Amino acid sequence: MELYSLKMRASNSKDGIEKHISGAEKIVSEDNIGTYVEALLTRALHHSKGKANFINLKIEKVNKEDILYLDSLPVSTVQVDTYQAGLKRVVALLEQMNIANAKEIIKKINATYNTRGAILLDVDTLERLEPNQERGIRATYMDADNSSMSENIEVKNHYNEAIVLATKVAYAPNIIGEICISDDPDYITGYVASKETGYVRITKLKEKGSQEGGRIFLYRGELSAVPSCLDYLEKQKV
Ligand code: PML
Ligand code: MG
């Protein structure tokens, strides 16, 4: 059975300002395309960030031999009572990665909250490395090998999708980690992930009801290696 990549992104444009509503990545077998397309459309049209007035669906055939298989990162959970305590844990984890500017880095996360992409940040110079900052970087073409039709993808399972993305990103050349806070107003668990720390869920990283979230991919190394990092994040099938 042939495999197909399915990408959905939905936004709402008002007065010339585009607000990202929802996005999803799947790799599914040919005979499941219809079911997934329908589920993803439902998701785009019933989202807590609002109703989309623009939905982009892209369906492309994937060659099986182009897929890189990775074991998902080991997962741990840090329980915190407040999001302020959660953010302190993020700082501690970044310091464990020998990142000196942790507090300044966290402040940048909200810069992405209306865009569909992540920030690619040089952790040593704090320079943003995305070619287009309005768009950000989107890690794409990935799915869990065991994802099956028993999952209800009309309703997003934040954890299931994030562990796939975080695993792909952790293996990107020159990426030493990732920070994520959901932009969905009802979802306050976020994570820090890297090959060394694994996927560390932190139960509170923002106030409930806030749409301010985002992702930062933490880059370290020569700038000449940025293109191959971007190429992996945006094109490698995982
Ligand atoms: C998102 O909204 O896409 C981010 C989801 C983060 C999930 C964190 C977790 O529950 O492990
Ligand atoms: Mg979201």
Side-chain angles (χ1 to χ4, degrees), residues 139-201:
T140 60
Y141 295 115
M142 69 257 165
D143 203 347
D145 191 27
N146 60 3
S147 77
S148 73
M149 293 311 295
S150 62
E151 61 185 347
N152 176 8
I153 61 157
E154 278 177 24
V155 183
K156 166 169 170 161
N157 182 315
H158 291 77
Y159 165 76
N160 284 353
E161 294 185 11
I163 182 74
V164 172
L165 185 148
T167 298
K168 174 174 181 181
V169 171
Y171 282 84
N174 293 75
I175 295 293
I176 60 163
E178 180 196 346
I179 314 170
C180 170
I181 302 178
S182 180
D183 56 349
D184 294 355
D186 301 331
Y187 203 83
I188 60 173
T189 298
Y191 66 87
V192 172
S194 73
K195 269 193 279 190
E196 283 68 37
T197 60
Y199 179 95
V200 185
R201 304 182 76 193

Side-chain angles (χ1 to χ4, degrees), residues 39-128:
L40 291 177
L41 286 177
T42 305
R43 193 197 284 193
L45 291 170
H46 301 93
H47 197 279
S48 57
K49 279 190 84 175
K51 195 177 174 113
N53 63 13
F54 172 83
I55 302 169
N56 183 306
L57 259 171
K58 194 170 180 183
I59 304 169
E60 296 162 275
K61 185 164 173 288
V62 169
N63 293 322
K64 286 183 183 157
E65 45 301 353
D66 292 340
I67 299 177
L68 172 68
Y69 283 84
L70 299 172
D71 284 332
S72 73
L73 295 173
V75 179
S76 60
T77 302
V78 175
Q79 300 279 351
V80 289
D81 291 332
T82 61
Y83 76 90
Q84 291 90 342
L87 292 171
K88 278 193 187 145
R89 297 303 290 260
V90 175
V91 171
L93 283 158
L94 296 192
E95 284 170 354
Q96 216 175 301
M97 298 171 190
N98 290 318
I99 294 173
N101 307 311
K103 285 197 183 113
E104 279 158 83
I105 289 175
I106 291 176
K107 282 193 206 131
K108 294 188 186 287
I109 208 155
N110 291 333
T112 59
Y113 95 95
N114 265 344
T115 67
R116 51 194 156 105
I119 292 179
L120 182 66
L121 189 72
D122 185 316
V123 293
D124 298 307
T125 63
L126 300 190
E127 189 189 347
R128 284 181 62 174

Side-chain angles (χ1 to χ4, degrees), residues 118-133 135-138 169 171-176 217-236:
I119 292 179
L120 182 66
L121 189 72
D122 185 316
V123 293
D124 298 307
T125 63
L126 300 190
E127 189 189 347
R128 284 181 62 174
L129 303 174
E130 318 93 81
N132 177 343
Q133 295 198 358
R135 183 175 166 270
I137 303 297
R138 239 187 125 71
V169 171
Y171 282 84
N174 293 75
I175 295 293
I176 60 163
F217 301 151
L218 305 166
Y219 184 95
R220 178 166 268 161
E222 296 295 329
L223 295 185
S224 58
V226 171
S228 48
C229 175
L230 291 176
D231 199 66
Y232 171 92
L233 290 170
E234 299 188 320
K235 297 195 184 126
Q236 174 67 52

